Every structure is written in structure tokens, then in C-alpha cells.
Amino acid sequence: MSGKPTFEIAMTVNGVRRSARAPARRLLSDFLRHDLGLTGTHVGCEHGVCGCCTVLMDGEPVRSCLTFAVTATGHEITTVEGLASEDGELSPVQRAFQECHGLQCGFCTPGFLCTVTALLRDNPRPTDEEVLEGISGNLCRCTGYQNIVKSVHRAADLIAESGETP
Ligand code: FES
Ligand code: FES
């Protein structure tokens, strides 16, 4: 008996066409980390609860641990590695998290950065309540959320001041 059948899975990741062969049941989180070597996407609960594995698919946050890689075929995926500009300059959301101490151990941070990037694109001036609602799917065990909320408001300021996109 041969092993499980594999399929050629191709998608655009951080603006680059990427492909690899993987079984039909390969999760997008594992595909990104193990098949494409993009280990910035973190896996916490693997059950869709913690939000650590959040990436953007066609600009919308998705839990990559609940998504089969094959279903991302042909889509545009953005991981935390794709948020900074090509010359390495951090995005406004990344700068704000750094400035406002929105991270401690950093394990949850890639998921927060992707979630907040989409949140501020859709709502450039969220209220506290809207921020809390927007990040409610992401769990952090370290920061108590206050600095994360501050980071989101700071990122909104940076984006408004500079006219940058999130
Ligand atoms: S690892 Fe995907 S939601 Fe926790
Ligand atoms: S900074 Fe440690 S889990 Fe969020």
C-alpha cells in the first residue's frame, strides 16, 4: 500500500505564488508552517478557540487550524511574515504593538496582528467596545488586553497620521 495521496496545492502567500504537495487533510496552519516554512503563524489550541493561528485569506481573518490547505487553493493568504513592507519596515499595527507593549511572550501576537490589520482596514477609528469585539476571538495569556487595546488605538493614529494602509 502506498501512503496517503497528495495533491499539488498552490496559493499566493504574502504576494508570492507558492505551492507544495500535501494530503487533502493538511491544515492550512501546518501547510504554511511545515510545507512552506512560514513558522510565524502560531498554533495554540488547534481547535479554533485561541486565534493564534489567524491569517488573512483574501484580506479576511481565518483560523488556519480550521481550514484545509486545499480550500485555500487559488486564494491570497497573508501571514504575519507578509505584514511588514519588503524593505523590512514594520507595518503601523506592528509598530503600535511594539510601542505600546502589546506583547509579552509574543505567542499570540501574529494572530492579533493579522486580526487587527483587518479590523482597522474595515473600521479605521474603532471605539473601545469595537476593539474588544474585534479581538474577542484572540486569546492572550500574558497581557491582560489593556496594552493590546492601546496598541490598536495607537495603530489607528499611526495610520491616520501617515495615510498608510494597515
Ligand atoms: S490554533 Fe487555531 S484557533 Fe487556536
Ligand atoms: S503575549 Fe503571551 S500569549 Fe499573548
Side-chain angles (χ1 to χ4, degrees), residues 42-53 63 65:
H42 290 170
V43 175
C45 66
E46 295 183 83
H47 286 96
V49 176
C50 72
C52 282
C53 64
R63 278 153 156 52
C65 77

Side-chain angles (χ1 to χ4, degrees), residues 40 42 52 80 97 102-114 138:
H42 290 170
C52 282
V80 68
F97 269 69
L103 59 149
Q104 285 184 25
C105 82
F107 194 80
C108 67
T109 308
F112 270 101
L113 294 173
C114 289
N138 292 68

